[in-house]
Amino acid sequence: MINIDASKRALRRRHLAVRSRLTADDIEKAGAALACRALELPEIAGAATVAAYVSVGSEPGTHALREALRARGARVLLPVLLEDDDLDWGEDEGPGRLAPARRGLLEPEGPRLGPEAVTRADVVLLPGLAVDRRGMRLGRGGGSYDRVLARLAAAGADPALVVLLYDGELLDEVPEEGHDRPVHAAVTPSGVHRFTPRPR
């Protein structure tokens, strides 16, 4: 029998090793391209509220996209990691209003909006290490976004779920567990990849 958890851990190690070789210039260029590509998605371009995140380290950059969304008048929510690894949310008020937090993260300094705030987003950007052609996402294994997806489902919320990735992180198959949920699209520097049709 295949050990899905071990398969996920091995795949995470492999993708993190590739990302660790990226230079700051690589990350910045990819982030700029990601912002342009992400805004090609009508769901993102027309969103009133986007739940995003602050990229750190070698993660695909979110700064340029968050700034473009804010410039267009979108409300951007950012996660706040709670002690139990669930996520609260705060509003993105710009790079000067971010504070260091646990696990090397950056979080908004403003008021906390509560874990349910994500249910009012039109789009949720999820961090990930890979996505397969069915839209199954490989996260970092902390479970925070599994809780977000469960909260959305429990609330009957149906935002567009989008993962930002580097080229080469779209795979044929990602190991899947019962709690895993597919995303609707992935954005890479070279293009947009849709998996689940969105109702019009």
Side-chain angles (χ1 to χ4, degrees):
M1 184 174 178
I2 297 173
N3 184 328
I4 293 176
D5 191 51
S7 297
K8 283 187 172 183
R9 285 198 305 271
L11 197 54
R12 285 185 188 108
R13 283 194 299 271
R14 189 158 70 240
H15 282 275
L16 287 169
V18 172
R19 285 186 177 185
S20 72
R21 295 192 288 271
L22 295 171
T23 66
D25 190 51
D26 293 334
I27 295 167
E28 184 177 350
K29 285 180 180 174
L34 280 168
C36 292
R37 293 297 189 183
L39 291 169
E40 292 174 5
L41 268 173
E43 296 94 324
I44 293 178
T49 302
V50 176
Y53 60 95
V54 181
S55 54
V56 294
S58 60
E59 285 185 314
T62 62
H63 173 76
L65 177 56
R66 290 187 292 108
E67 290 300 294
L69 288 168
R70 291 175 60 247
R72 288 173 175 228
R75 184 183 195 209
V76 178
L77 305 180
L78 296 176
V80 176
L81 186 65
L82 300 173
E83 288 298 323
D84 65 356
D85 291 337
D86 202 349
L87 297 178
D88 199 336
W89 298 86
E91 191 159 348
D92 186 354
E93 297 175 334
R97 298 277 292 152
L98 297 172
R102 291 190 305 129
R103 298 188 185 173
L105 300 175
L106 292 171
E107 296 176 345
E109 292 180 342
R112 302 302 181 237
L113 306 174
E116 301 299 323
V118 70
T119 65
R120 296 184 288 278
D122 303 301
V123 176
V124 177
L125 300 179
L126 300 104
L129 292 169
V131 164
D132 71 18
R133 297 188 185 280
R134 302 166 300 156
M136 301 309 297
R137 177 185 69 98
L138 178 71
R140 285 184 172 259
S144 297
Y145 279 89
D146 291 329
R147 296 188 194 193
V148 169
L149 295 176
R151 182 167 288 120
L152 293 170
D158 187 31
L161 304 175
V162 181
V163 180
L164 304 179
L165 299 171
Y166 292 109
D167 292 320
E169 294 180 340
L170 186 65
L171 309 180
D172 288 332
E173 188 172 7
V174 163
E176 175 189 345
E177 296 178 271
H179 64 267
D180 291 327
R181 297 288 177 265
V183 299
H184 300 109
V187 179
T188 68
S190 66
V192 172
H193 311 270
R194 285 188 180 273
F195 309 113
T196 306
R198 297 283 299 155
R200 298 206 178 264

